[in-house]
Structures are given as structure tokens and as C-alpha cells.
Amino acid sequence: MSKKTNEMSQILSQEKLASDVYSMWLRTEEIAKEASPGQFVSVYSRDGSRVLPRPISICEVSEDKRSLRLVYRVVGKGTEEFSMLKAGDRLSILGPLGNGFPLERAAGKRVFLMGGGIGIPPMVETAKALDGDKHIIAGYRDELFLQEELKRYGRVYTATEDGSAGTPGNVLDAMMANGLTKEEGREPEIIFACGPAPMLRAIKAYAQEMEIECWISMEERMACGVGACLACVCQSKEIDEHSKVHNKRVCKDGPVFLSTEVEL
Amino acid sequence: MINTKVSLAGVELKNPVMTASGTFGSGVEYSELIDLNRLGAVVTKGVASTPWTGNPTPRIAETYGGMINAIGLQNPGMKVFCERDLPFLEKFDTKVIVNVCGKTKEEYCRVVDRLSDENIDMLEINISCPNVKEGGIAFGQDPFAVEEITAAVKKYARQPVIMKLSPNVADITEMARAAECGGADVLSLINTLTGMKIDINKRTFAVANRTGGLSGPCVKPVAVRMVYQVANTVKLPIIGMGGIATAEDALEFILAGATAVSVGTANFFNPRATLDVIEGIESYMQKNKIQDIQELIGVVK
């Protein structure tokens, strides 16, 4: 269990990676030190009209563990506010939050990291932390980002919805097109995935059919970020040990779940 | 030495600041971020007789200066609450107030009866949740129902009973009077205001329940007005809440007549909001040479 801290971080850099995608390095006292791949932070707006923190996944942690990188998409006024901040500005964040990917499960296995859209960023730190045979499948709508970083830590296969780069289609299309199949003896032995719900649904179905262990990172509107308010629940297959109903807390019990334990 | 102690129906709080039900779970999660020993009281999320699943997602949406929620009182039921959550809270030097919900009068009474045997300081009866089909607000919008349910739970309660009032009524003083007649020991107000947000891109409701309870800084003026009205109608002590994020907010409620205050939505944008409010009240008292917080309660007439 990583220790959570709410701290005033300092922005080291802000960079635009694609049309609506920004990258921000933040200096922290505690959070980067504690963070593990697949965890996220709650980022607080400085504008009092916005009362809910924005949950943003951790893309990378610096080697000295003093800074962390957030790569995020501008989807509304809150993230737009973050994108306007400059080096030297301060930003209140809470983290690290959630469980992260169970890296130990991937030991000795052919691991597939599958990221879609703004679900790609957490795959950078995940790939960095894993040893061995890593295949990274990145699915984009059109514009590419984080390709260089991903290539540093594994073999990268790309899909774009508009067909402008890599395989036209989604991450599963990219797998098939590159012969990453059972027939070729190159299928995944374990999957870590993060991305939009339709993508996760398709990966879950594929993993179930192929009987592959698959961990998916879920998304839901959040308020407290620490498991107290019960806003961001997802449906669980079995009665959850904590809630005693068919609900799991995405922010606390997740965001990473075994694909077979949650309904999508 | 300034005195911030307040008394609610004989229960003495080290300071008037507590959490608002539903925003703080049973304290376990926030205990990683703040020292619960510093709070006047922890008010838990609503507890029913059996586990409740709550509403479908999305359960929340942000609005200007506030938010709408329709969690639907998801809770693990009183058995798990008493065996798991309560022993955790008992470890802290703070008062424990348990929020009680139910679908019927009988369910409220069953929960109160079960909780009466526990080491709990006060019970807060939620007759004002706007997000459940049965129970909740159905009991809080009719003065006869308010009086009846208050009298019913009082028969089972061995702790002082707080009735939590809804602002979704024509005249909140009528409900306050009804609760007083039913034998309530304390009143808490306000619960959330029923609201709605439309997602113009998806052309549908922003929360799955269609309507949700509005909370946060945007509701504060309504809440202060209602606390003032109720304080000038009944003799019962009041726990004031609705948009409190700072000591200045809390002091408005106290000056309007609240003996204690709750911090709710502000926990979401500032995990240490409760502590900031406690410290801010102390500095205000020092700065204005107020020895005892009693000197502030309800002085604005």
C-alpha cells in the first residue's frame, strides 16, 4: 500500500504532444517516490468553480524519483486550465492513488501492454518497470504521441482509427496484422490494458476466449479519489469483499482489475 | 486559552467541526490523510439494515461551484458496519455519529435498535436523501411523517437523535417544528438540493439517476438562510452544513445559529478542509478576542 500525500507540486515543464494532448513534469516531495506503474493522481483545479479533482494516470517517474510526468488530454475546462500552466507554477495533487498493475504476475511471461488513446501514457512507466519479452500495442484515433518513449522499453505496434499510421483499426487489429497470434506462437501470455470502454470490452472478450490472464484499468467519474464517497464504482461479478454488494471502487480497489472480476 | 468545546444534547465535542455524511465513508480512507483525533466528530455514511447497491453510474457530475450526486446510499449494511467500521472509529479520540437510512419506518427502527447497543455517541436520521425511491426524502417533506418517524426512532434510540432535514420543502421551519414535536434532540441541515444537469454532447442526463443532490460552495447562501430560520424557530441545537469549505463559511453558520458545523463536498477538493476550518475558527477567535465559541453562536439576529 503506497502512502498517499496531498502536496503542492511544482511544474518543471509543460509541452504539447498532439492536438489536445499535453505532457507535464512535476516536482514532488513524496508522491513520485511512492508511485508505481498504473497508479494515478488527483489534480486539483485552482479555480473555485471546479470542485472535483481530475484523476490523471502517472505516465513516468524520473530516475531520481523526485518528479513525475502526467500526459493528459484536454477534454474540458479543468484540463484546459492545467494545460495553460507553465514551468514554475504550482499545482496541488493527491497521490499516488489506486492499486496499479500487478507487475509480479508478468514475471517470465510474454506480456502485452495495450493502450488506447489517453490510456497509452501509463504504459510508459509500466513498460519501463517490466523485464523480459514486452509487446506494446498502442491504438490512436489519428495523431501519434509517446512513440519514442514506448520504443525505448519494448517492441511497439501501432494502430490508428483513420489509418494514417500503423495498422488501420484498433489494438486487436494491430495484433493480428503483426502475426501476434496463437497460430504463430506469439500470442500474449498476460495482458495489461488501459483505454476507452469499447476497447477494454473487446480485449476482455478476446482474453476470455483465448484464456489469457488480462488486467484492465477502468475509468469512472470520481470525487474523493480515496474510496470514501462511492461515486466511481464499477460492477463486480461476485459480491465485493468490502462493499458487500456487486460494486467495486475504481479509485481504491482499482483502477486495475482482473478482466473476469468486473462487468464492462 | 480559548474554548472551542460545544455541547450537543449533552454530548461534548472538542470543537464544532465534523464531517458531513456520505463524503467521508466511515473515516478509514481519510485517516490516511488527516488525523481524525482532531475532529469534533466523524459522521459516517448512511447505514441501512442490509447492504444496499446504490444507483447506476455515472453517479456524480460537476456543476459551477458545486456538484450533483446520486450515489443512492450504497452501504454494506449494519452488521458489517458494526463489526468492521465501528471498531476502527472507536480507536480515535473523536465523537462518532452514525447516519441511519431506511426504506420504511420499520427499517429505520431496526437499524436504530441495533446501533443502540454500540459505542456510538449520536445517531443522525437521514430523512432527506433525494436519491432513493423509497425512504429518504419521502419522510422529510411532510411534517406529519417527520414527526411520526422521529417519535418512532426515539423509542429505540439510547443515544441522542439528530434529524437531518431536507431543503427541498416549501418551509423548512415547519419540518424543524415537526421534528422537535417528535422528540428530536438535535437538527442537522441542510441535505442536498435536488438538481439536474444535462450533458449537451450526449444529449442525456449527466447522472444516471437523472436528478441528483446539489452540494458544494454554490449552495451555502441557501443553507445559511435555512439555519438562521430554523434557529429562530426551535429551541434545539443545530448542526449547520451546506457548502462549508473554509472557517469563514463555518463562522457564517455559527453566527446564524448553528452550534456545530459539517464539512462535506470540500473534502473532495481539499482533503484537509476539516482541519483548515478548525484552525481558522481558532485564529478568528484569537484575533477577535473571543474566549468561548458560545459567544458566537446565533449572535446575528
Side-chain angles (χ1 to χ4, degrees):
Chain A
M1 212 43 212
S2 42
K3 185 170 103 23
K4 302 178 183 77
T5 313
N6 176 205
E7 59 175 293
M8 196 54 87
S9 67
Q10 191 179 22
I11 296 168
L12 300 173
S13 66
Q14 172 93 261
E15 187 193 351
K16 189 173 182 174
L17 302 184
S19 294
D20 297 322
V21 180
Y22 289 78
S23 165
M24 196 157 59
W25 276 99
L26 302 163
R27 170 63 48 89
T28 67
E29 289 298 323
E30 302 292 335
I31 299 175
K33 254 184 255 171
E34 293 283 330
S36 55
Q39 289 190 297
F40 65 98
V41 293
S42 270
V43 185
Y44 298 98
S45 169
R46 301 199 293 184
D47 181 324
S49 74
R50 293 189 271 277
V51 300
L52 297 179
R54 273 53 177 171
I56 298 180
S57 67
I58 296 168
C59 172
E60 273 192 88
V61 173
S62 67
E63 215 168 321
D64 64 5
K65 305 247 176 225
R66 292 187 65 201
S67 347
L68 57 85
R69 184 185 191 187
L70 304 179
V71 171
Y72 58 100
R73 192 190 293 281
V74 171
V75 290
K77 293 206 172 74
T79 40
E80 188 185 322
E81 175 195 324
F82 303 153
S83 74
M84 317 261 244
L85 298 172
K86 306 245 177 323
D89 287 345
R90 323 245 303 154
L91 192 57
S92 173
I93 60 175
L94 169 68
L97 303 176
N99 55 359
F101 288 109
L103 303 179
E104 68 289 350
R105 299 287 311 166
K109 290 184 189 147
R110 193 184 307 125
V111 56
F112 275 49
L113 307 181
M114 305 175 79
I118 211 62
I120 293 171
M123 295 309 166
V124 176
E125 189 63 24
T126 308
K128 203 193 284 183
L130 285 169
D131 297 319
D133 196 4
K134 290 171 276 188
H135 292 72
I136 304 166
I137 328 281
Y140 301 85
R141 204 159 40 198
D142 39 38
E143 285 177 86
L144 307 185
F145 52 88
L146 291 175
Q147 287 267 310
E148 286 309 307
E149 288 85 339
L150 292 171
K151 280 176 189 159
R152 228 173 279 158
Y153 306 110
R155 263 173 289 180
V156 178
Y157 307 87
T158 300
T160 51
E161 275 172 31
D162 70 349
S164 58
T167 307
N170 61 31
V171 285
L172 287 171
D173 296 324
M175 271 174 62
M176 301 311 150
N178 287 286
L180 301 170
T181 59
K182 194 165 188 179
E183 293 71 51
E184 304 282 337
R186 297 172 68 206
E187 83 280 12
E189 288 170 331
I190 184 169
I191 297 172
F192 293 155
C194 182
M199 175 189 125
L200 296 181
R201 221 171 275 137
I203 293 174
K204 175 185 155 120
Y206 163 81
Q208 205 147 354
E209 193 196 316
M210 305 289 292
E211 294 178 353
I212 298 167
E213 181 176 329
C214 174
W215 296 83
I216 54 179
S217 182
M218 305 272 285
E219 203 172 26
E220 186 51 63
R221 272 188 229 155
M222 285 179 190
C224 75
V226 295
C229 75
L230 308 183
C232 67
V233 297
C234 64
Q235 275 187 54
S236 56
K237 196 157 171 284
E238 309 293 336
I239 288 182
D240 176 63
E241 188 43 43
H242 180 267
S243 73
K244 302 297 172 191
V245 293
H246 287 266
N247 280 336
K248 285 182 181 291
R249 299 166 295 178
V250 172
C251 69
K252 173 91 178 175
D253 307 317
V256 178
F257 297 99
L258 194 58
S259 66
T260 49
E261 67 180 353
V262 290
E263 308 284 351
L264 257 169
Chain B
M1 193 56 191
I2 55 165
N3 176 45
T4 57
K5 285 194 201 111
V6 294
S7 170
L8 290 172
V11 178
E12 191 175 85
L13 280 59
K14 63 176 81 170
N15 66 59
V17 181
M18 54 182 82
T19 59
S21 178
T23 63
F24 209 74
S26 291
V28 182
E29 295 81 14
Y30 274 98
S31 71
E32 293 180 54
L33 299 168
I34 65 162
D35 180 6
L36 302 187
N37 294 307
R38 294 188 57 194
L39 302 178
V42 169
V43 183
T44 71
K45 178 152 181 75
V47 178
S49 64
T50 56
W52 286 12
T53 302
N55 288 326
T57 57
R59 289 177 167 185
I60 55 164
E62 191 175 64
T63 59
Y64 198 94
M67 65 180 285
I68 282 174
N69 91 80
I71 308 293
L73 293 175
Q74 181 187 323
N75 77 90
M78 61 187 180
K79 187 170 179 290
V80 171
F81 175 80
C82 291
E83 290 167 5
R84 180 188 66 192
D85 300 342
L86 211 44
F88 173 83
L89 278 175
E90 284 169 2
K91 293 186 294 191
F92 295 91
D93 175 27
T94 185
K95 299 296 175 198
V96 176
I97 300 178
V98 179
N99 186 281
V100 174
C101 54
K103 291 190 173 79
T104 60
K105 186 170 83 180
E106 289 68 31
E107 185 173 10
Y108 280 101
C109 291
R110 255 200 317 277
V111 180
V112 168
D113 189 31
R114 172 72 184 79
L115 296 177
S116 282
D117 302 331
E118 300 288 339
N119 188 11
I120 293 168
D121 296 291
M122 303 178 92
L123 298 171
E124 181 182 62
I125 313 301
N126 181 358
I127 52 164
S128 42
C129 176
N131 301 323
V132 288
K133 284 194 187 70
E134 305 153 276
I137 202 167
F139 290 98
Q141 289 179 319
D142 167 12
F144 297 103
V146 171
E147 185 174 342
E148 193 189 340
I149 192 110
T150 309
V153 296
K154 274 296 284 179
K155 283 194 197 123
Y156 293 89
R158 281 190 278 281
Q159 299 91 342
V161 165
I162 305 162
M163 297 306 288
K164 185 163 182 177
L165 303 182
S166 170
N168 302 303
V169 293
D171 180 2
I172 197 163
T173 61
E174 202 184 354
M175 306 302 152
R177 243 186 246 116
E180 189 175 46
C181 287
D185 301 290
V186 180
L187 300 177
S188 61
L189 60 141
I190 59 174
N191 204 318
T192 56
L193 290 140
T194 308
M196 180 181 281
K197 180 177 177 175
I198 306 284
D199 182 327
I200 61 161
N201 296 312
K202 294 189 177 140
R203 295 185 195 169
T204 184
F205 307 97
V207 296
N209 190 53
R210 300 186 176 198
T211 58
L214 178 66
S215 65
C218 64
V219 309
K220 194 188 73 180
V222 177
V224 173
R225 181 264 292 180
M226 288 185 166
V227 165
Y228 176 81
Q229 285 181 310
V230 170
N232 286 286
T233 303
V234 297
K235 294 199 171 62
L236 303 177
I238 294 167
I239 305 168
M241 69 198 77
I244 296 176
T246 64
E248 289 78 9
D249 298 332
L251 286 158
E252 282 195 52
F253 281 84
I254 292 167
L255 292 167
T259 299
V261 292
S262 296
V263 178
T265 302
N267 292 306
F268 302 154
F269 57 87
N270 174 14
R272 46 168 292 129
T274 43
L275 305 186
D276 287 350
V277 171
I278 293 167
E279 289 162 15
I281 290 173
E282 286 169 6
S283 350
Y284 175 89
M285 288 172 66
Q286 270 153 2
K287 199 174 137 199
N288 293 281
K289 305 200 164 36
I290 309 284
Q291 294 298 316
D292 192 318
I293 195 154
Q294 302 298 329
E295 297 167 42
L296 296 173
I297 299 170
V299 299
V300 175
K301 296 283 180 198

